[in-house]
Amino acid sequence: MIRQGLLVWIFLHATLPILLGQDYLFTSHSLPEEWHSARPGVICQDRDGLIWLGTREGVFRYDGTDFVHFPLNKEGNKAENVTALFSASADRLWIGYDDGRMGMLEGSGMGFIEEVEFVEGGLTASVTGFAEDGEGRLWISTYGQGVFVIHQGQMIHFDNGDGFPDNDVYCITADETGAIWLGTDNGLVHCAYDGSTKLTERFSESDGLPDLIVKAVKHDRRGNLWIGTHDGGICRFSPSTRDWFVPEASWEWGEITAIEEVGGQVWVGTA
């Protein structure tokens, strides 16, 4: 495969066969002409199978036929560079923006996204992701202000002032047990909050990471975490056994920007 914009690797059942010389079918779907400059940057699928796109000009929903634009608030007159999307429980879609704003679309959404502010002026860094833990609490990762969790209506903040390893968080995910994992500029981090105490555990190169800068984290159906890094490629980590597996000791295909599991296969996108 040619490294040109996107390289896709397929990991089958934790092995490394690379599928070469096969034909793939790609179908292009374009936003309406009036939104040609929107440039999608993030994408997610909700529980009903609808596709949501986060762009430089807001959120679009695609139902297989038409694109519908959802502005932030009724006025829709603010800059809307979307940096994170998350389909949550209770039929909610969470949206994060590059200036720290957050929005929520519930049900039909009445045609616009409702802006949500948990703490006035408390979040100004770019939102990089959302996750729900085992108790149904919403976690929010940022690039510059660490991570937040919403606990009983309050926003609890984890940053490097209270032991969090790094405020620059690239990604966040919850594994099958509901545990929260984050990729940062300073390793892989496990976070928890018991209602009174902030708990963090950091994993670095001395533990088995091939590189300290973690750009993508995804759990698979076997309970493993697949971790994509800036320079060291990909590795697999088992939270239950604490075993590490690095399939490629000499990674030559650039930084990993995305990981997804589809049908038992782990797909990796690189830049």
Side-chain angles (χ1 to χ4, degrees):
M1 294 186 181
I2 301 173
R3 181 190 165 200
Q4 192 65 250
L6 176 70
L7 172 72
V8 176
W9 283 64
I10 304 176
F11 296 85
L12 295 175
H13 304 291
T15 62
L16 268 177
I18 305 169
L19 305 186
L20 300 174
Q22 297 189 11
D23 294 327
Y24 296 92
L25 176 64
F26 294 90
T27 302
S28 175
H29 300 276
S30 300
L31 291 172
E33 181 61 30
E34 63 266 31
W35 298 104
H36 71 278
S37 62
R39 295 190 181 183
V42 290
I43 185 171
C44 82
Q45 187 174 28
D46 67 21
R47 297 166 191 263
D48 295 323
L50 298 172
I51 300 297
W52 296 85
L53 301 174
T55 78
R56 294 182 180 181
E57 298 184 39
V59 173
F60 291 83
R61 185 189 66 200
Y62 181 62
D63 62 4
T65 304
D66 299 312
F67 287 95
V68 178
H69 180 243
F70 287 78
L72 179 63
N73 299 319
K74 291 182 180 180
E75 299 80 9
N77 56 3
K78 295 182 179 180
E80 299 183 29
N81 186 8
V82 178
T83 52
L85 290 172
F86 178 64
S87 177
S89 59
D91 197 23
R92 290 176 176 174
L93 182 78
W94 287 96
I95 304 100
Y97 298 86
D98 67 342
D99 58 3
R101 286 178 298 155
M102 290 182 293
M104 190 264 290
L105 192 63
E106 191 167 16
S108 63
M110 299 177 293
F112 64 89
I113 296 167
E114 178 185 357
E115 187 169 353
V116 177
E117 192 174 72
F118 292 104
V119 177
E120 184 176 357
L123 183 56
T124 57
S126 177
V127 177
T128 57
F130 301 94
E132 281 183 329
D133 66 16
E135 298 182 31
R137 297 177 300 191
L138 185 71
W139 291 71
I140 305 145
S141 62
T142 74
Y143 192 81
Q145 284 184 269
V147 65
F148 299 80
V149 58
I150 309 305
H151 176 74
Q152 297 180 353
Q154 294 184 326
M155 181 176 275
I156 308 301
H157 187 200
F158 290 66
D159 67 3
N160 55 18
D162 54 15
F164 190 72
D166 197 285
N167 284 349
D168 294 337
V169 183
Y170 292 103
C171 56
I172 183 171
T173 191
D175 66 21
E176 290 185 336
T177 70
I180 298 296
W181 299 87
L182 305 108
T184 78
D185 260 339
N186 195 17
L188 174 72
V189 181
H190 171 224
C191 276
Y193 184 67
D194 65 5
S196 59
T197 306
K198 304 173 188 178
L199 306 171
T200 60
E201 184 179 13
R202 173 178 173 264
F203 299 87
S204 66
E205 292 165 316
S206 62
D207 297 296
L209 270 177
D211 180 30
L212 203 57
I213 302 176
V214 176
K215 289 294 191 74
V217 181
K218 186 73 176 181
H219 73 276
D220 66 21
R221 61 181 64 184
R222 300 173 186 85
N224 299 308
L225 292 176
W226 290 87
I227 303 156
T229 68
H230 181 71
D231 285 325
I234 191 169
C235 68
R236 188 189 66 207
F237 172 63
S238 170
S240 60
T241 66
R242 299 301 173 102
D243 290 332
W244 296 81
F245 169 65
V246 181
E248 278 286 306
S250 301
W251 184 263
E252 302 175 357
W253 294 276
E255 70 176 270
I256 294 177
T257 56
I259 303 174
E260 279 294 333
E261 186 191 29
V262 181
Q265 302 175 355
V266 176
W267 290 74
V268 178
T270 72

